[in-house]
Structure formats: structure tokens, C-alpha cells
Amino acid sequence: MNTGMDAGPNRVEEFEELRPLLFSIAYRILGSVSEAEDAVQETWLRFQGSATLPTSTKAFLSATVTRISIDVLRSARVRREAYVGPWFPEPLLNDPYQDPARSVELADSVSMAALLLLERLSPLERAVFLLREVFGFGFDEVAEAVERSEAACRQLLVRARRHMEAGRPRFAADRRERQELATRFFDALSDGDVAGLRELLAADVQLVGDSGGKAPQLARAVTGADKVARVLGTNIPRLVRIGVTFEPHEVNGQPGALFRDRDGRILQSVVLDVLDGRIQAVRLMLNPDKLAHLGPVGDAWAVDREVRRARRQPD
């Protein structure tokens, strides 16, 4: 460590340059935009308050945000055990950190499917896997970040890889294929074209939502192309008729959309899992607490009541 008495003014610039990386590490560990932002802010406070400057600012800040995120995740897991219904990560529209040398790893690791796989890992396994496999840190840096020996980190990585590889799809869709399929899906959705939707869905497709008990929700997950196509092809046009709009938008690096009420407030996000030329899952985020970082959030309960009233009125 070097004394930092004459280098204080540079700390802000150094930190801001690394902020995208720190957020991306924290988000992948926590699956929460708001908690990741808090972890980054706490990292800054510790960096700002230290009397000396580290030899490597990147290593110091990455280790600090990792440790903070691990602690937050441990307490968050207790809360998630009492969560109402399925739990999904908070939607992320844009990953602030880009590294051309690791673009594939970064894109894959931020998808909803990958983040849900990461939920199977212990906090330490998750941190080791992300730092080593996604961000390319050396084992010495990983060991320092999680405060374990390099040998222990290698064992943690072996276990994490085993869990991740067991749950990964065998064949991933390329970006252009995903976008073309998503365009056809949202066109069919706009038209209420049940048959058109059915053609795009895998036979065992799932429609699943996360409301946390704070928004109208499906009674349970809907499974099967016929059922999912009917639910979407029937209910989305009803929303459109009362002024709800949706705009296709990449969500967690995957094709998706944001739904807004007539005043432009966000009601839900949708993300599609695409594999082998078909949509394997449609994930809805309806929990208003998990949408607030995207902008003003609408009243989904009021929209639901309006839809019900419209259904009762004669044409």
C-alpha cells in the first residue's frame, strides 16, 4: 500500500473509471440492481475513507465490492426463503461494463437463465465462479477477494462449474436468431394471433411471473405451447385495448419488452429464453419494487380492475 496524502484528488477519477466493473460484479452476485448500486456506494465510502492507496486500485475495489456483495447475498437469501411466488433477478436493460476480450462470458452471465442458475451456488461459489470465469481474474486475485486460499478457490470453482454446466442448455441461439424470433413473437402478440404464437413456442414452454405478491399474478406457471399461446394471445390484446403499450427492448442481454400504462409508467418487463429456434420460457417481472430503477411504476392493480370492467361491458 502507498500513502495517499497527495493522491486524494485522483481517487474519484480512479473509482469512476472502475464503477462499471464494480457494478457488474455486484449485480451478478446479487441479482439486484438496487443492492448492487448500494454495494458500489459502500465500496466507494471504504475507498475514500482509507488512509493509504492500494498498490492496485482495481484489485482492491473488486475485492471490496465482492466481499460486501457476499455479505449482502447471505442476508438476502434468508429473505428470499419467505418470498411470495417465484423469485427472479431485477431486470437489467444495459450492462455498463464492456470488455471485448470477454464479451461472450459477460453476455452469457447476465441472462436471466444464467442468473437463476447462479442461485443454485453458495455465495462463495458464486463469487469465485464469476470473478474467475466471467471477469477473468487470476486465482491470486480471487483468493484475496473471497479471503480463502487459492487451493480452496480452485475447489469452489470445480463445484460451481459442475452445477452451472448441469443446468446449461446444450445449444444456444445466436443473437440474430433470437432477435428475428422475438420480432415475430411480439408481432403475433400485438395481433392476438394465438396460432402464430403457438408456432414460435417450444412444446414445453413455460410462462412464469414474479410479482412478490405486490401485483396481479398468474395463479401458477403456465406450461405448454397451446396454453401459453392462449393466455398471451387473449390477455395482452385486452391490455392494449385500455391503452397499455409495449416496446421491444433487450432485457438482461436477451430479447424482451417493457409494458407501460397509458401515462407511460412501467407495468412489467418481459424476457424471452430462446433455444433451438423456439421460445423456451417467457418470464414476466411484475413486482413494482423490482421495476422502480427503470422509471416511474404504474398501478398494476388499477390496470387489472380496468381490464375486468372492460370485459364485463358489452361490445
Side-chain angles (χ1 to χ4, degrees):
M1 301 283 280
N2 300 320
T3 59
M5 298 301 292
D6 59 348
N10 294 327
R11 291 197 185 196
V12 174
E13 293 179 9
E14 286 185 290
F15 185 84
E16 289 304 321
E17 183 177 346
L18 290 165
R19 180 187 289 273
L21 170 63
L22 303 179
F23 173 85
S24 291
I25 292 172
Y27 175 77
R28 285 165 172 80
I29 292 176
L30 294 166
S32 166
V33 172
S34 54
E35 289 176 345
E37 289 174 342
D38 288 345
V40 172
Q41 180 62 20
E42 177 61 26
T43 300
W44 161 248
L45 293 174
R46 295 187 188 184
F47 182 49
Q48 182 188 43
S50 62
T52 56
L53 284 176
T55 303
S56 168
T57 301
K58 178 182 177 182
F60 173 82
L61 294 177
S62 299
T64 301
V65 81
T66 296
R67 292 172 197 153
I68 292 169
S69 298
I70 288 172
D71 289 342
V72 173
L73 180 59
R74 285 173 173 150
S75 62
R77 285 196 157 192
V78 175
R79 297 194 303 272
R80 289 174 194 175
E81 290 176 0
Y83 194 80
V84 177
W87 180 93
F88 292 161
E90 290 182 8
L92 182 68
L93 300 189
N94 298 292
D95 186 358
Y97 179 68
Q98 301 296 324
D99 180 355
R102 307 197 64 80
S103 58
V104 174
E105 293 87 351
L106 290 167
D108 179 64
S109 66
V110 82
S111 71
M112 282 284 177
L115 290 171
L116 289 171
L117 278 178
L118 285 167
E119 284 292 305
R120 302 180 183 183
L121 308 183
S122 71
L124 277 178
E125 288 171 345
R126 188 165 180 163
V128 168
F129 179 85
L130 289 168
L131 291 177
R132 177 63 181 170
E133 297 290 283
V134 176
F135 294 97
F137 283 73
F139 273 110
D140 57 336
E141 296 170 305
V142 175
E144 181 181 354
V146 301
E147 299 178 298
R148 296 292 188 275
S149 69
E150 289 189 37
C153 289
R154 292 179 188 276
Q155 288 300 313
L156 287 165
L157 181 61
V158 168
R159 292 201 299 269
R161 280 175 176 164
R162 188 162 53 239
H163 285 299
M164 294 297 288
E165 289 171 2
R168 286 184 187 278
R170 291 180 59 196
F171 304 102
D174 65 36
R175 186 181 183 88
R176 188 172 70 174
E177 179 188 3
R178 291 199 310 261
Q179 292 303 327
E180 290 176 351
L181 192 61
T183 297
R184 293 168 59 196
F185 174 84
F186 288 115
D187 286 345
L189 202 60
S190 297
D191 298 336
D193 181 359
V194 174
L197 289 168
R198 189 184 300 115
E199 291 179 1
L200 305 174
L201 303 174
D204 58 349
V205 63
Q206 277 204 324
L207 172 64
V208 191
D210 173 349
S211 72
K214 297 182 178 183
Q217 174 62 302
L218 302 166
R220 60 182 64 85
V222 180
T223 302
D226 287 339
K227 291 180 180 178
V228 171
R230 285 200 302 271
V231 169
L232 292 174
T234 301
N235 288 289
I236 299 304
R238 289 171 178 162
L239 291 172
V240 172
R241 283 197 289 271
I242 65 164
V244 172
T245 60
F246 63 89
E247 57 195 51
H249 200 297
E250 195 169 84
V251 180
N252 287 79
Q254 304 296 310
L258 298 179
F259 281 66
R260 300 179 183 272
D261 64 18
R262 61 168 59 93
D263 297 316
R265 296 171 299 191
I266 296 172
L267 294 171
Q268 67 181 31
S269 68
V270 177
V271 63
L272 309 178
D273 285 354
V274 178
L275 181 67
D276 295 340
R278 291 288 185 273
I279 295 168
Q280 305 290 325
V282 181
R283 306 184 197 277
L284 313 178
M285 175 55 70
L286 305 112
N287 187 334
D289 295 343
K290 294 185 178 184
L291 296 170
H293 64 282
L294 301 178
V297 178
D299 185 343
W301 293 107
V303 170
D304 184 63
R305 289 192 295 270
E306 188 173 354
V307 168
R308 292 176 184 275
R309 285 196 300 270
R311 288 176 61 186
R312 291 194 296 266
Q313 293 174 357
D315 294 335

